[in-house]
Amino acid sequence: MALPDSKTTLLTVLKWILICLLIGFFSGSASAFFLVSLEWITQFRIHHNWIIWFLPIGGLLVGLSYYYWGESVVKGNNLLLEEYETPKKTIPFKMAPLVLAGTLLTHLFGGSAGREGTAVQMGGAIADQFTKLFKLEQSERKILIILGISAGFASVFGTPLAGAIFALEVLYFSKINFKSIILSFLVAYAAYFTVEFWQVKHTHYSIPDVPEINLTNLFYTILISLLFGIAALLFSRTTHFWSSLFSKNIKYPPLRPFVGGIVLAIAIAGFGFTKFAGLGVPVIVDSFSNVNPWYDFLLKILFTGFTLGAGFKGGEVTPLFFVGATLGSALSLVVPMPIALLAGMGFVAVFSGATHTPIACTIMGMELFGIQPGLFIAIACTIAYFSSGSVGIYKSQIVKGAKYKLYQKWL
């Protein structure tokens, strides 16, 4: 005998709440473990810089692990985007441990990479395993992928609102149903509070001085936001360039990060560019109060693009924060606005341009820096979004809406 509609609806609601809580807990726990491990590894590298000379060995280990065990998940974030667009088969769970190990090896030996890709991939792989457990249909897998991205992003950065919106926006809003929106917020907070439960702390930033919005400040905001967009474009194109170059010239994939590791080790350890190794969080924090050299953002783009293009693992977002914050900091020499505000605008605006997610980045800026600089942040994210070109860091991302129409019409 079929259950009455009200009972069926109630059971469905309870099922999805349970799924959100489970994904939030497991993804949040994975991110907490990742953040603690990453901090330990980073501190070890900082106090033992000689280990950077072993970057080629770390690269070879990463390359071999993906070549022999991870061929089906080597696309990383792009695989999540592709499975959302055209669901085919469940994402293998091995994506989670492989990207975790690969990222930790990359950071241990001094590769320039981020962490969002790792958390998002772990979240996506964990979430998709519930397809079989709850006997979900292929169409419902799309919701799981949204939940995995949301949980991973929210937990690794400590920004649940931005995490929920990022998962929806990066997959293009028009294909998102109302149920997905609610569940994305639920899982984001579940993952966020799980990290809080494990007492893992996130980096805090501050913009203490926010000027009034007037014509002068608006002019400068628009001007520097265009520069942030160009920096985002340069970051995306650089990463794709190195990836293509390595793929064309080194046919055996495990050798790509090995050869790349040799070049990086010589550059970072041999020539003293250690500030560009790893995440670069201390440099980001410092840029909110001290002026950075004008070339720091360019070198971070170069090192990160080369690292990821060679086949090392990690993410792009924290390096994008680095690029934006250091560029904003350097611009404080010629732009009569507070250095922390310029660094904060760059922090999220370059990210916005490279990922085509201006709404999520605006929300993230407000979560990290407070409501007061919100209007400056919104303007910066929007202009950087439109001025960053049609190609972002994710090759499989579907770009639609106003930006798509703009570039289709004029380019």
Side-chain angles (χ1 to χ4, degrees):
M1 182 177 177
L3 289 170
D5 287 347
S6 59
K7 290 186 178 180
T8 302
T9 301
L10 178 61
L11 287 177
T12 301
V13 170
L14 292 175
K15 178 185 75 173
W16 281 105
I17 290 175
L18 177 61
I19 290 173
C20 285
L21 294 177
L22 289 172
I23 292 174
F25 176 76
F26 288 118
S27 296
S29 297
S31 289
F33 175 79
F34 171 52
L35 289 171
V36 171
S37 302
L38 188 57
E39 176 61 21
W40 186 88
I41 275 176
T42 299
Q43 291 302 317
F44 182 87
R45 187 194 70 244
I46 289 173
H47 292 96
H48 305 84
N49 272 335
W50 53 264
I51 202 171
I52 296 174
W53 288 109
F54 291 90
L55 190 55
I57 304 302
L60 185 62
L61 291 174
V62 173
L64 288 171
S65 65
Y66 271 86
Y67 185 71
Y68 288 104
W69 300 301
E71 187 177 1
S72 60
V73 297
V74 72
K75 291 183 179 179
N77 286 0
N78 286 303
L79 177 61
L80 299 180
L81 300 178
E82 290 173 10
E83 280 297 322
Y84 178 84
E85 187 66 22
T86 309
K88 293 179 180 178
K89 57 182 180 180
T90 303
I91 296 167
F93 179 74
K94 62 183 176 181
M95 172 184 266
L98 277 171
V99 74
L100 174 63
T103 303
L104 293 177
L105 283 171
T106 297
H107 283 278
L108 173 63
F109 295 108
S112 177
R115 54 192 173 182
E116 123 285 339
T118 307
V120 166
Q121 288 173 51
M122 289 194 298
I126 290 169
D128 213 11
Q129 305 314 305
F130 290 96
T131 300
K132 293 180 180 178
L133 183 62
F134 286 90
K135 299 179 180 179
L136 302 177
E137 298 176 359
Q138 282 288 67
S139 60
E140 293 178 304
R141 282 192 60 227
K142 289 191 171 189
I143 300 177
L144 290 182
I145 292 173
I146 290 173
L147 300 184
I149 294 173
S150 176
F153 193 98
S155 57
V156 81
F157 291 123
T159 53
L161 285 175
I165 296 173
F166 177 81
L168 302 169
E169 194 175 14
V170 78
L171 295 168
Y172 186 51
F173 274 118
S174 72
K175 292 190 174 183
I176 306 295
N177 59 45
F178 184 68
K179 180 169 74 173
S180 299
I181 296 173
I182 297 174
L183 297 177
S184 183
F185 279 93
L186 177 58
V187 76
Y189 275 96
Y192 168 75
F193 283 118
T194 297
V195 174
E196 292 288 301
F197 170 77
W198 291 119
Q199 298 183 353
V200 177
K201 303 299 180 183
H202 295 95
T203 306
H204 293 283
Y205 306 92
S206 174
I207 300 179
D209 183 20
V210 180
E212 63 177 11
I213 288 284
N214 54 39
L215 288 177
T216 301
N217 288 334
L218 185 60
F219 168 78
Y220 281 116
T221 298
I222 293 172
L223 184 63
I224 64 172
S225 298
L226 290 170
L227 297 178
F228 293 146
I230 294 170
L233 183 151
L234 185 60
F235 186 100
S236 299
R237 296 300 173 94
T238 300
T239 303
H240 298 324
F241 168 79
W242 288 116
S243 179
S244 176
L245 190 68
F246 274 100
S247 298
K248 288 179 180 178
N249 293 284
I250 303 177
K251 299 303 179 183
Y252 184 57
L255 282 181
R256 295 169 193 165
F258 176 75
V259 173
I262 293 173
V263 177
L264 286 168
I266 293 172
I268 295 174
F271 290 91
F273 288 114
T274 52
K275 70 185 292 185
F276 301 103
L279 292 172
V281 171
V283 178
I284 298 173
V285 174
D286 184 65
S287 67
F288 279 74
S289 54
N290 297 302
V291 180
N292 283 87
W294 66 268
Y295 50 80
D296 272 6
F297 83 99
L298 289 172
L299 288 174
K300 189 62 175 179
I301 289 174
L302 176 62
F303 279 109
T304 304
F306 192 89
T307 298
L308 298 177
F312 286 92
K313 296 301 171 182
E316 299 91 348
V317 173
T318 304
L320 286 169
F321 294 161
F322 185 114
V323 170
T326 54
L327 175 55
S329 173
L331 287 171
S332 67
L333 286 175
V334 293
V335 177
M337 295 174 69
I339 184 173
L341 178 62
L342 294 172
M345 284 194 289
F347 185 106
V348 286
V350 175
F351 174 32
S352 169
T355 58
H356 310 305
T357 56
I359 300 173
C361 293
T362 299
I363 298 298
M364 184 180 208
M366 293 182 189
E367 283 189 283
L368 290 173
F369 312 129
I371 298 295
Q372 194 175 5
L375 187 55
F376 287 102
I377 288 169
I379 294 171
C381 288
T382 302
I383 293 176
Y385 162 72
F386 280 110
S387 62
S388 60
S390 58
V391 178
I393 55 175
Y394 307 130
K395 287 185 177 180
S396 298
Q397 185 179 12
I398 304 297
V399 182
K400 295 291 184 181
K403 183 174 186 176
Y404 173 79
K405 294 177 181 177
L406 173 69
Y407 284 95
Q408 283 293 101
K409 181 177 180 180
W410 296 107
L411 298 180

